[in-house]
Amino acid sequence: AGAALGWGVAAGVLLYVGNEIAAGLGTRVGATAPERLREAMAPADTRGWALLLGVVLPIIAVFEELLFRGALIGAMAFGFGVDPWLLAVGSSVAFGLGHGAQGRIGIVVTGVLGFALAAVFVFTGSLLVVIVAHYVVNALEFVVHEGLDRDPAATIG
């Protein structure tokens, strides 16, 4: 479990950095994702941050990874012999569409992130790795953008 946690943290940090680079490049061409949802969910106090980081984001990461990677890729590939890469594409489209509240650009970015998480899942065969990676991406998004009030993508764009 220790190695899976380490790989999950490493993958999460890399995926977060990739998201910031993509956001910066998107800004350069005039494509920005609305940040209203994250801003609306941002805590106002220490108790709220503890609830978000310790309860809400872990539940989201576990639920979404069980559904989009575990069930839609793992169970289908193992149970029915479907190519996991084909399932990764379908799962990623569903993952992106499931984040429709983030707007069109958000759907695309989240779909790409979903494919990256799917690739990590296919390569490692570990749901724990992708759950941790997913949590790290979400936590860094909130902490950096809302907690520290920083926009790393702005330095790229």
Side-chain angles (χ1 to χ4, degrees):
L5 290 174
W7 282 111
V9 170
V13 169
L14 287 173
L15 292 173
Y16 169 76
V17 169
N19 263 359
E20 290 297 340
I21 291 169
L25 295 174
T27 301
R28 277 188 169 172
V29 298
T32 59
E35 298 179 357
R36 293 183 310 273
L37 181 61
R38 187 188 63 232
E39 291 168 353
M41 290 178 61
D45 57 23
T46 304
R47 183 172 179 238
W49 277 102
L51 183 63
L52 178 72
L53 296 173
V55 178
V56 175
L57 293 183
I59 288 172
I60 290 170
V62 167
F63 174 78
E64 289 185 347
E65 292 310 318
L66 284 173
L67 174 62
F68 292 104
R69 266 52 80 180
L72 294 180
I73 298 173
M76 298 297 289
F78 182 74
F80 298 98
V82 180
D83 181 353
W85 291 107
L86 177 64
L87 295 167
V89 171
S91 169
S92 301
V93 169
F95 186 67
L97 291 172
H99 289 80
Q102 296 175 7
R104 289 181 184 166
I105 298 299
I107 290 171
V108 172
V109 169
T110 305
V112 171
L113 174 64
F115 188 79
L117 288 166
V120 170
F121 177 65
V122 170
F123 283 127
T124 66
S126 171
L127 267 174
L128 181 57
V129 171
V130 291
I131 288 169
V132 171
H134 190 147
Y135 171 81
V136 168
V137 170
N138 288 350
L140 285 172
E141 279 282 326
F142 275 98
V143 169
V144 172
H145 288 268
E146 305 305 326
L148 300 174
D149 196 25
R150 299 283 185 257
D151 185 6
T155 62
I156 297 164

